[in-house]
Amino acid sequence: MTEQTTTPARYERLADALRTRFPDLRVETDPRTREVTIIVPREQLIESAEVLRDDETFAFSTLIDLCGVDYLTHGQDEWKTNSATDSGFSRGVQREVIIDDADTFAPQRFASVIHLLSLTHNWRLRVRTYTSQENPPRVPSLINVWRSADWYEREAFDLFGIIYEGHPDLRRILTDYGFIGHPFRKDFPLSGNVEVRYDADKGRVAYQPVSIEPRTLVPRVIRDDNRYDAALKESSDV
């Protein structure tokens, strides 16, 4: 009972402290999940991060997670679930080769999100920063503020193509050598662009265009007929 009553008040104190220290920034709270989020422009990211780390009011000494986010098609539903459908999931049946040759991206498409922990106050905080609109999207590296950001930023670069300016060793960490594209982007084809196989004649692994045939993925069909009639089910159980 004590935890249920004190935890929301504790996070409200964090939100109030953030609004006082950063009056120009957007602070969001969610009482259901007891989470606090602050949205920081990329131009103010390093300065704000240092305040969150060094100011004893916050004392966020630990970066526990960093990830990229692609908000393309955010809030849009690709499934038709009210009746039967044979159209399936469009990304699974419409193969596109993604070259990423656009000059700019839509505003607020990509974001870099970090999660901070204050051991002093037992607080957790989410910090969201939207990248630049240029291609590739860019955001300042936090490696000089929290060293633990090192491999997290490499992962976000690999999967989303976000450039972390100032990172000393920004290179792929999960995908294969020579991998084309960034697989966590929403417009990346589900089956990928290339596949690998062992070529006995060449005596090595070889790349080739992906040979997986697209297939329609149909969501669960909602049926309402006599097979599901409660009275019939009860009589069959007797």
Side-chain angles (χ1 to χ4, degrees):
M1 181 64 69
T2 302
E3 179 66 17
Q4 292 294 326
T5 56
T6 59
T7 301
R10 178 159 52 86
Y11 276 87
E12 284 298 331
R13 290 198 300 271
L14 170 59
D16 292 341
L18 290 168
R19 293 187 180 102
T20 301
R21 182 60 180 83
F22 304 101
D24 299 330
L25 301 185
R26 180 179 173 186
V27 178
E28 299 176 348
T29 59
D30 188 341
R32 299 171 302 172
T33 57
R34 303 169 185 172
E35 294 178 336
V36 181
T37 303
I38 184 171
I39 291 118
V40 181
R42 57 188 298 270
E43 297 81 7
Q44 304 176 33
L45 179 59
I46 299 300
E47 177 185 358
S48 301
E50 291 175 345
V51 171
L52 292 173
R53 182 195 62 185
D54 299 334
D55 191 326
E56 290 301 321
T57 305
F58 307 107
F60 285 104
S61 58
T62 306
L63 184 148
I64 58 177
D65 190 25
L66 181 150
C67 64
V69 182
D70 183 359
Y71 287 102
L72 182 69
T73 69
H74 179 65
Q76 301 178 20
D77 189 3
E78 297 189 60
W79 292 97
K80 301 175 182 178
T81 55
N82 292 328
S83 60
T85 174
D86 60 0
S87 61
F89 195 30
S90 62
R91 288 180 62 207
V93 298
Q94 299 176 6
R95 178 179 295 164
E96 298 179 4
V97 177
I98 306 302
I99 305 177
D100 292 336
D101 60 351
D103 294 331
T104 59
F105 293 108
Q108 298 188 347
R109 172 175 172 179
F110 294 104
S112 179
V113 180
I114 63 174
H115 292 84
L116 304 177
L117 171 65
S118 172
L119 297 173
T120 302
H121 304 292
N122 192 21
W123 281 344
R124 294 175 184 267
L125 175 66
R126 177 188 296 111
V127 181
R128 180 184 299 120
T129 303
Y130 292 100
T131 68
S132 64
Q133 294 179 237
E134 63 185 302
N135 186 8
R138 298 176 180 273
V139 71
S141 172
L142 291 171
I143 194 171
N144 292 325
V145 183
W146 294 285
R147 293 296 298 179
S148 58
D150 189 348
W151 281 21
Y152 289 127
E153 290 182 348
R154 285 183 56 188
E155 182 181 72
F157 160 71
D158 191 356
L159 300 178
F160 292 92
I162 299 173
I163 300 295
Y164 287 86
E165 297 176 317
H167 193 288
D169 187 24
L170 194 63
R171 54 194 170 94
R172 292 187 183 268
I173 192 173
L174 295 175
T175 56
D176 194 12
Y177 301 105
F179 189 89
I180 299 174
H182 304 283
F184 274 20
R185 289 188 176 184
K186 293 291 185 65
D187 50 7
F188 189 85
L190 290 181
S191 56
N193 294 318
V194 296
E195 64 184 21
V196 296
R197 64 177 180 83
Y198 180 76
D199 191 316
D201 296 332
K202 297 179 180 179
R204 60 178 177 81
V205 171
Y207 288 86
Q208 65 185 29
V210 64
S211 60
I212 300 174
E213 289 297 327
R215 63 186 180 92
T216 301
L217 303 177
V218 180
R220 179 180 180 182
V221 177
I222 302 174
R223 295 184 174 89
D224 186 14
D225 56 35
N226 62 351
R227 291 176 297 171
Y228 304 93
D229 186 84
L232 291 176
K233 184 177 185 302
E234 292 174 1
S235 63
S236 64
D237 294 336
V238 175

